[in-house]
Amino acid sequence: MNKSSFRLGPLGLWLAGQATILAGAGAMAWTHSFVPMALAGSAALMLTVPLVKAIATGRRRR
């Protein structure tokens, strides 16, 4: 497979972060532990950074 098939834009990464939150919530309900949700929330926060940078760059160009 080529690398461009794995590329997501900033919005796609943000959506992937939201999906990890849902998966973490499911894992939290299944394991009765807060660890999966903490990890999912952390991953979602990291996946939000490219979207924030893209928005900030767009505002600076105006």
Side-chain angles (χ1 to χ4, degrees):
M1 294 178 101
N2 86 41
K3 288 184 180 182
S4 66
S5 63
F6 292 113
R7 274 188 95 167
L8 296 174
L11 188 60
L13 289 172
W14 178 77
L15 289 172
Q18 299 305 303
T20 60
I21 289 176
L22 289 174
M28 184 176 79
W30 183 56
T31 62
H32 303 290
S33 171
F34 286 105
V35 173
M37 192 64 200
L39 293 173
S42 175
L45 186 61
M46 289 186 279
L47 289 171
T48 301
V49 172
L51 181 62
V52 172
K53 283 185 177 182
I55 291 170
T57 301
R59 288 184 189 230
R60 272 189 246 140
R61 288 184 184 172
R62 288 186 200 171

